[in-house]
Amino acid sequence: MSDLLYSEVEEDLRASVRDLLTDRAGFTSVLARTESAEPYDLKLWRTLAADLGLAGLAVPESLGGQGASHREVAVVLEELGRSVAPVPFLGSAVLATAALLAAGDRELVPRLAGGELIGALAVPLTSAPESGFPDGVSANTEGALSGAVRAVADAPVADVLIVPAAGPDGPGLYAVEKAAATVSDVVSLDLTRRLADVSFDNASSRLLASGAEARSALRQALRAGAGLLASEQVGLAQRCLEETVAYLKQRYQFGRPVGSFQALKHRLADLYLELVSARATARHAADTLATGDDDVPVAVAVAAATCSAVALHAAEESVQLHGGIGMTWEHPAHLYLKRAKSDELALGTPGRHRAALAGLVDLPPA
Amino acid sequence: MSTLTADDLRTRVGELLAAHPPASTDRLDFLRARFDAGLAWVHYPEGLGGLGAPRELQNVVEAELAKAGAPDNNPRRIGIGLGMAAPTILRFGTDEQKRRYLRPLWTGEEVWCQLFSEPGAGSDLAALGTRAVRDGDEWVVDGQKVWTSVAHIARFGILVTRTDPDVPKHQGMTYFICDMTDPGVEVRPLRQLTGEAEFNEVFLSGVRIPDDNRLGAVGEGWKVAQTTLMNERVAIGGNAMPREGGLIGMVARTWRERPELRTPELHDRLLKLWVEAEAARLAGQRLRQQLAVGAPGPEGSAMKLAFAKLQQALTGLEVELSGEDGLRYDDWTLRRPEKVDMLGRGPGYRYLRAKGNSIEGGTSEVLRNIISERVLGLPSEPRVDKDVAWKDLPR
């Protein structure tokens, strides 16, 4: 059985990340940034990635990382989910790094792990681990890429793109410098995690892996992404619950604190109950990913299906239970709602993960 | 705390087995000897079935005895005695009471029931109205209790009564041990929607209880009852289960074996419940890991609620998944089971019985209040019964 608790080291890590985010990613500054010319806080990213070494947390020390595991990455994601901090951690430190590691790369990994470069995995953020290899981009024999990918997470600030493409001899995974691609920012539903449409017109690239190895690298990256996103969702849900409880204690209506009304208390108790389950599934996914357990596919599907729904429910309840104030731009609730709804689509919807599960646990469709 | 180790306990179990070989020893004789050896519940004090050892060492004893094929004390029928009466007697009983009751309770020679709920006081237990009036060295009890499991085979009941109606409801209660064979105690089966009579109604008419059978001080019954109820909630939470353990496994098996019953809509629901069951299983596992490192989280209060929701959804799906057979029922005969057997009966029974999961041992509504107030710290509802004498409460 996997270890579902947090270790002391993980709690220490959580405390230092939370301290930093409290100082540097308070709600007012996060909100202000969403409408600025620089929606990502790259100074904060450098502190997280380079100074604290978080970009290379799960990267072996021999490749310039910290030699920790996905369990620690999950704890960082919980904190990033709590603060909806506008940093490219998921795209660079999770998705691109996992793809590079699985492809056996030794050149880019150290530079991503050290925070020197930001990477992005050039697939639509909606891609599920079982989606199959995409064919929107193709590579010729010289390794020049042509084609387009929509809705790539964190691509607006990426220095290098990790691109799955149909090569002359089947699937291949390629690295492309940002300058060689056309990266067009899109208006994202999630104000704190930006997307870009990316296109390639004879873009020069470097082949990282091909054939079965490329397929496997992509699937592993998406699976790690989906399994770890669950922890971001747990952190987000936890924050929404805490903020809502705090608000309901202080807000008076009909001569009583609103939080004393049973109709509302029961909804929050139900949310707490969901969070208890969600946290257990997210920890299980992180632990199996960390140990390379055979249960990874099932653990990831269960965590993704559970935590997406719980985070969204928590964010929706937060808006509703804050009443009118929850509908305003000035209140943080909307940033969480936007992140939660986008996260529901990201790396496989709950429905797609359940469909994958049907095959994994032998519950065939009608 | 004693300094006994797991090895010490293995040695003691070895001595017990050598002196009373299970194969040639009468079951009750063995259980009595085990109690006297302090191996019944090792965390209890010496002389009362224990050794003052850490509670978790009980597992060592159980494993050794199971390996040797020793008889168990049939915890199914004596669950209330073990889980609720015993910890309450241990905490509030006199030395004489502890010596008198704990041994036959543990061996199963005397079955216990719990006389708490009343027709007018279930979730609001402190509203109860069963009266106990002092008469010399005895108390005279009149009232009615309900939802009493195993009362028909019980020798004793733990009983909460109203002894002072002139003070607010939490203050005027007193806790007793009731001899179920006394004149004036009448047990009637209470048939449920499943057809069986798992519970009883207990009528108490002029029952005379000696003051020696009082547990705790006069008027302190609420405090004593809290100990009982806290232990009831600790007991809920369950054991480690494999994936697809319990009802979800049964439904999944039916799905695999009966392809003709499959529809897309049922497939969606099945997968949702499969994920929910797995999440609940992992959450239970996480709770046990927290307990094992001595850091119990507040999640425990949420688990019973989750269990009830899941059982009800699963049993509902199972009936639908049964097609024509879902219209049939296995047996409406009035039975008197000693323990709920969810897996041993048909889907219809499971569906109906699961409706009780959100009512028994604290309704889901009461549990939500507990979570929101004690875990999340939300303010309580205004209490209209606060500081009002019990006799003046509307009812």
Side-chain angles (χ1 to χ4, degrees):
Chain A
M1 188 65 211
S2 58
D3 175 6
L4 303 173
L5 306 181
Y6 299 102
S7 68
E8 251 173 72
V9 174
E10 287 163 9
E11 290 296 2
D12 290 348
L13 173 66
R14 178 198 304 289
S16 59
V17 175
R18 189 176 295 186
D19 278 353
L20 178 72
L21 293 174
T22 305
D23 286 350
R24 304 265 297 270
F27 169 69
T28 320
S29 64
V30 173
L31 181 67
R33 192 169 284 281
T34 61
E35 294 180 288
S36 77
E38 287 179 37
Y40 277 98
D41 186 345
L42 294 180
K43 261 171 82 181
L44 172 62
W45 168 248
R46 268 191 296 280
T47 307
L48 284 165
D51 304 350
L52 295 183
L54 301 186
L57 212 42
V59 171
E61 287 175 49
S62 60
L63 291 174
Q66 304 290 314
S69 77
H70 284 121
R71 291 179 55 93
E72 289 81 4
V73 176
V75 170
V76 173
L77 278 164
E78 278 187 30
E79 294 308 309
L80 292 171
R82 276 185 73 87
S83 65
V84 289
V87 291
F89 190 85
L90 182 75
S92 187
V94 178
L95 291 171
T97 301
L100 286 167
L101 279 172
D105 169 84
R106 302 188 68 84
E107 288 177 47
L108 285 170
V109 165
R111 302 179 71 191
L112 259 59
E116 185 191 329
L117 292 181
I118 295 173
L121 181 63
V123 293
L125 184 57
T126 49
S127 308
E130 318 295 335
S131 294
F133 209 83
D135 56 6
V137 181
S138 53
N140 67 16
T141 47
E142 274 80 52
L145 304 191
S146 297
V149 191
R150 301 185 70 214
V152 178
D154 295 337
V157 289
D159 304 299
V160 58
L161 299 158
I162 312 304
V163 190
D169 308 311
L173 202 59
Y174 300 83
V176 179
E177 306 251 342
K178 186 185 199 173
T182 307
V183 177
S184 325
D185 292 17
V186 302
V187 179
S188 311
L189 174 64
D190 182 353
L191 292 164
T192 54
R193 176 175 289 138
R194 294 301 176 97
L195 308 171
D197 291 341
V198 180
S199 62
F200 306 95
D201 182 13
N202 263 323
S204 61
S205 74
R206 183 165 66 83
L207 180 66
L208 298 163
S210 57
E213 204 192 337
R215 263 184 218 287
S216 162
L218 178 63
R219 194 171 50 241
Q220 283 183 59
L222 294 175
R223 200 167 264 158
L228 293 172
L229 186 66
S231 286
E232 176 181 303
Q233 290 163 325
V234 166
L236 186 153
Q238 174 82 43
R239 181 69 179 273
C240 288
L241 177 63
E242 283 170 17
E243 293 294 324
T244 308
V245 164
Y247 180 72
L248 294 194
K249 281 191 209 175
Q250 85 168 41
R251 169 86 172 163
Y252 275 68
Q253 295 279 268
F254 308 104
R256 288 163 59 179
V258 172
S260 70
F261 286 95
Q262 205 169 69
L264 306 190
K265 284 157 82 170
H266 284 197
R267 284 165 69 166
L268 289 167
D270 282 337
L271 209 50
Y272 171 77
L273 177 65
E274 290 178 31
L275 192 54
V276 166
S277 287
R279 190 182 304 280
T281 65
R283 282 274 89 191
H284 182 54
D287 192 73
T288 53
L289 283 164
T291 58
D293 192 285
D294 288 346
D295 202 35
V296 164
V298 172
V300 167
V302 167
T306 303
C307 299
S308 284
V310 171
L312 183 59
H313 187 207
E316 288 178 343
E317 286 290 74
S318 176
V319 170
Q320 173 66 25
L321 298 180
H322 276 85
I325 193 81
M327 279 302 290
T328 65
W329 189 264
E330 287 76 18
H331 193 273
H334 67 100
L335 290 186
Y336 288 85
L337 179 67
K338 290 160 189 172
R339 171 65 69 85
K341 191 66 192 174
S342 302
D343 274 1
E344 185 195 30
L345 275 62
L347 301 164
T349 58
R352 286 177 76 172
H353 283 286
R354 285 193 294 268
L357 204 51
L360 292 167
V361 301
D362 183 29
L363 293 171
Chain B
M1 184 57 69
S2 88
T3 52
L4 286 170
T5 65
D7 278 340
D8 295 338
L9 287 175
R10 283 193 196 95
T11 307
R12 284 171 188 254
V13 172
E15 287 163 8
L16 171 72
L17 290 166
H20 308 272
S24 55
T25 308
D26 172 69
R27 179 173 174 279
L28 261 183
D29 287 343
F30 183 88
L31 291 174
R32 287 174 185 151
R34 179 178 163 187
F35 187 93
D36 296 339
L39 297 168
W41 34 42
V42 297
H43 57 290
Y44 270 43
E46 284 189 58
L48 296 173
L51 297 165
R55 183 190 278 257
E56 55 271 21
L57 289 182
Q58 185 68 34
N59 291 331
V60 175
V61 174
E62 301 295 342
E64 291 292 305
L65 288 171
K67 216 160 57 186
D72 70 24
N73 61 337
N74 193 2
R76 284 158 68 99
R77 63 206 295 267
I78 64 171
I80 290 169
L82 289 174
M84 301 169 83
T88 312
I89 293 169
L90 184 68
R91 167 109 188 260
F92 291 98
T94 61
D95 289 347
E96 173 54 29
Q97 287 169 336
K98 292 177 202 170
R99 271 196 304 277
R100 162 66 188 85
Y101 296 113
L102 290 176
R103 190 173 185 254
L105 180 159
W106 187 85
T107 60
E109 290 163 86
E110 290 173 352
V111 174
W112 286 68
C113 65
Q114 181 210 34
L115 301 165
F116 278 27
S117 292
E118 296 184 5
S123 292
D124 184 11
L125 179 64
L128 62 84
T130 290
R131 290 289 300 272
V133 178
R134 191 154 194 161
D135 181 17
D137 285 343
E138 292 181 329
W139 295 80
V140 181
V141 180
D142 287 279
Q144 184 196 342
K145 297 288 178 173
V146 74
W147 315 126
T148 317
S149 311
V150 298
H152 56 294
I153 53 168
R155 175 63 211 280
F156 294 106
I158 39 178
L159 168 70
V160 197
T161 64
R162 172 81 38 207
T163 45
D164 186 353
D166 296 321
V167 293
K169 63 182 187 176
H170 290 92
Q171 295 170 26
M173 299 159 85
T174 303
Y175 198 116
F176 294 100
I177 293 168
C178 175
D179 186 334
M180 298 297 283
T181 63
D182 275 349
V185 177
E186 191 198 342
V187 177
R188 292 185 204 157
L190 181 59
R191 197 175 189 192
Q192 298 152 246
L193 75 177
T194 55
E196 54 179 37
E198 189 189 313
F199 304 111
N200 300 277
E201 296 177 291
V202 178
F203 295 86
L204 304 159
S205 321
V207 180
R208 302 189 78 87
I209 298 182
D211 190 54
D212 284 346
N213 282 13
R214 177 163 45 79
L215 269 183
V218 174
E220 295 281 307
W222 180 249
K223 202 173 94 190
V224 186
Q226 284 305 301
T227 296
T228 311
L229 294 174
M230 238 136 58
N231 277 286
E232 179 183 32
R233 288 190 187 121
V234 168
I236 296 169
N239 300 313
M241 259 201 300
R243 180 172 286 163
E244 283 199 10
L247 279 182
I248 183 67
M250 193 169 262
V251 180
R253 201 157 56 239
T254 307
W255 182 266
R256 289 174 194 128
E257 288 167 2
R258 308 272 310 269
E260 75 280 8
L261 301 172
R262 297 175 193 161
T263 69
E265 187 260 351
L266 289 174
H267 192 234
D268 284 349
R269 278 168 58 199
L270 172 64
L271 286 170
K272 278 190 183 139
L273 290 175
W274 195 97
V275 170
E276 223 176 280
E278 176 67 1
R281 185 183 78 87
L282 290 168
Q285 185 64 31
R286 185 160 194 273
L287 186 64
R288 275 186 296 279
Q289 290 179 0
Q290 285 176 313
L291 287 170
V293 297
E299 290 90 339
S301 48
M303 293 310 293
K304 179 184 177 287
L305 193 53
F307 172 80
K309 239 174 84 181
L310 184 63
Q311 293 284 97
Q312 292 177 351
L314 269 172
T315 54
L317 176 70
E318 195 192 14
V319 171
E320 275 182 78
L321 191 54
S322 303
E324 291 161 19
D325 291 339
L327 298 171
R328 300 171 187 257
Y329 195 72
D330 55 357
D331 185 6
W332 289 117
T333 315
L334 172 67
R335 309 172 178 211
R336 311 219 56 192
E338 285 173 5
K339 173 86 185 180
V340 185
D341 183 13
M342 283 297 264
L343 300 182
R345 297 276 306 263
Y349 171 84
R350 283 192 279 279
Y351 171 73
L352 295 175
R353 182 59 187 80
K355 295 291 166 243
N357 293 155
S358 52
I359 302 171
E360 59 200 352
T363 63
S364 290
E365 288 68 27
V366 165
L367 288 175
R368 285 188 180 96
N369 285 346
I370 291 173
I371 293 167
S372 55
E373 289 172 18
R374 297 193 201 159
V375 179
L376 300 178
L378 287 164
S380 52
E381 297 261 326
R383 298 293 296 265
V384 292
D385 57 0
K386 214 175 150 218
D387 303 327
V388 179
W390 177 83
K391 66 176 165 48
D392 298 327
L393 289 174
R395 67 173 65 82

